[in-house]
């Protein structure tokens, strides 16, 4: 984040962005998400990139770099939202287009996320006093190795398969199923080790008769042992 001198002439568009940031931050902190205005405000900031260049109601000209979106979210008002990335992610909901933007702007979260607003307030002291000073909350997400967890799959879907991302965010498909469909993950299943018939039924349901017969033949060969052909 960089604070500039706004100068005598204040561009109207930057002031409007500042009002947008202030309104969104206020709604997030007050929990007023049921009015339906928060997603619209968030969508405008994400799609226009207005969060990177705005003027606060106090006349401070604030700019952020593209990789500083987490800092913008966590910086207290009026220079940021004073909120949390997990809250922003939940508010986006089933919008693969906005999720794709969010994932491009944020690094993978660490195992300590999500943090709620109480964590933000407690780490900063009094919210209103800290807001006047424009201080930032020193809580940043750390990059984690790529893997098969849900967020990494969602990020990869947002980048490479937005069609499957929409299936996942709409609830029609699980993230792991989408990864299998995309060819990034091998199909897996859980077999209840209760009795032979339950195991057989599970395999038959998942594999179909042709593959199940191959498994049966392979099991017979393994049970018979390496000397069965002699």
């Amino acid at each position: 984040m960089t604070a500039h001198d706004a100068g005598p002439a204040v561009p109207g568009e930057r002031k409007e962005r500042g009002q947008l940031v202030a309104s969104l931050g206020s709604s997030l902190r007050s929990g007023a998400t049921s009015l339906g205005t928060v997603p619209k405000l968030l969508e405008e900031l994400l799609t226009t990139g207005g969060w990177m260049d705005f003027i606060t109601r106090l006349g401070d000209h604030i700019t952020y770099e593209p990789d500083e979106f987490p800092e913008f979210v966590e910086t207290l008002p009026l220079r940021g939202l004073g909120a949390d990335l997990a809250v922003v992610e939940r508010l986006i909901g089933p919008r693969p287009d906005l999720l794709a933007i969010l994932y491009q702007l944020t690094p993978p979260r660490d195992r300590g996320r999500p943090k709620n607003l109480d964590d933000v307030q407690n780490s900063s002291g009094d919210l209103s006093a800290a807001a006047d000073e424009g201080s930032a909350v020193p809580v940043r997400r750390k990059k984690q190795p790529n893997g098969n967890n849900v967020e990494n799959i969602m990020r990869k879907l947002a980048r490479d398969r937005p069609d499957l991302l929409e299936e996942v965010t709409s609830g029609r498909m699980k993230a792991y199923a989408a990864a299998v469909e995309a060819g990034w993950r091998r199909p897996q299943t859980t077999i209840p080790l209760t009795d032979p018939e339950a195991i057989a039924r599970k395999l038959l349901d998942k594999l179909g008769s042709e593959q199940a017969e191959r498994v049966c033949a392979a099991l017979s060969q393994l049970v018979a042992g390496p000397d069965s052909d002699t």
Side-chain angles (χ1 to χ4, degrees), residues 211-225:
Q211 278 191 294
E213 287 179 359
R214 293 178 182 175
V215 171
C216 184
L219 282 172
S220 298
Q221 183 69 29
L222 290 172
V223 170

Side-chain angles (χ1 to χ4, degrees), residues 140-182:
R140 299 289 298 273
R141 297 193 295 182
K142 297 179 181 179
K143 290 186 177 181
Q144 293 290 325
N146 291 329
N148 282 332
N149 66 56
V150 172
E151 182 174 341
N152 285 333
I153 292 174
M154 294 286 283
R155 288 176 178 276
K156 196 169 183 180
L157 289 173
R159 185 178 66 247
D160 301 331
R161 292 295 303 270
D163 57 324
L164 291 179
L165 177 64
E166 185 172 2
E167 293 294 306
V168 174
T169 55
S170 65
R172 295 190 293 267
M173 181 181 288
K174 299 293 185 181
Y176 290 109
V180 172
E181 179 72 17

Side-chain angles (χ1 to χ4, degrees), residues 41-52:
L41 297 174
L42 181 58
E43 178 179 1
E44 184 170 345
L45 282 177
L46 284 174
T47 56
T48 65
W51 62 273
M52 290 190 288

Side-chain angles (χ1 to χ4, degrees), residues 73-97:
V73 171
E74 295 164 348
T75 297
L76 294 172
L78 297 166
R79 301 184 177 195
L81 299 180
D84 180 75
L85 283 168
V87 174
V88 171
E89 190 170 342
R90 287 197 299 269
L91 285 174
I92 288 177
R95 286 288 303 274
D97 54 335

Side-chain angles (χ1 to χ4, degrees), residues 14-197:
R14 286 177 178 154
K15 288 188 67 176
E16 290 177 3
R17 293 173 188 167
Q19 292 285 354
L20 186 64
V21 170
S23 298
L24 178 57
S26 177
S27 296
L28 289 174
R29 295 188 303 278
S30 65
T33 59
S34 61
L35 301 179
T37 59
V38 173
K40 294 177 182 177
L41 297 174
L42 181 58
E43 178 179 1
E44 184 170 345
L45 282 177
L46 284 174
T47 56
T48 65
W51 62 273
M52 290 190 288
D53 187 3
F54 59 91
I55 292 176
T56 71
R57 288 180 295 193
L58 299 179
D60 296 321
H61 181 194
I62 307 300
T63 60
Y64 289 90
E65 295 298 321
D67 61 349
E68 293 180 327
F69 184 75
E71 182 180 344
F72 162 72
V73 171
E74 295 164 348
T75 297
L76 294 172
L78 297 166
R79 301 184 177 195
L81 299 180
D84 180 75
L85 283 168
V87 174
V88 171
E89 190 170 342
R90 287 197 299 269
L91 285 174
I92 288 177
R95 286 288 303 274
D97 54 335
L98 297 185
L99 281 174
I101 296 173
L102 178 69
Y103 291 155
Q104 288 171 359
L105 294 173
T106 59
R109 61 186 174 185
D110 61 15
R111 296 182 184 274
R113 216 191 101 196
K115 291 181 177 291
N116 57 35
L117 182 56
D118 291 335
D119 296 326
V120 174
Q121 292 173 329
N122 292 337
S123 66
S124 312
D126 180 70
L127 182 60
S128 59
D132 292 338
E133 297 175 0
S135 59
V137 179
V139 180
R140 299 289 298 273
R141 297 193 295 182
K142 297 179 181 179
K143 290 186 177 181
Q144 293 290 325
N146 291 329
N148 282 332
N149 66 56
V150 172
E151 182 174 341
N152 285 333
I153 292 174
M154 294 286 283
R155 288 176 178 276
K156 196 169 183 180
L157 289 173
R159 185 178 66 247
D160 301 331
R161 292 295 303 270
D163 57 324
L164 291 179
L165 177 64
E166 185 172 2
E167 293 294 306
V168 174
T169 55
S170 65
R172 295 190 293 267
M173 181 181 288
K174 299 293 185 181
Y176 290 109
V180 172
E181 179 72 17
W184 305 331
R185 195 171 184 269
R186 293 181 179 178
Q188 296 181 0
T189 188
T190 301
I191 299 178
L193 300 178
T194 52
D195 60 78
E197 184 177 351

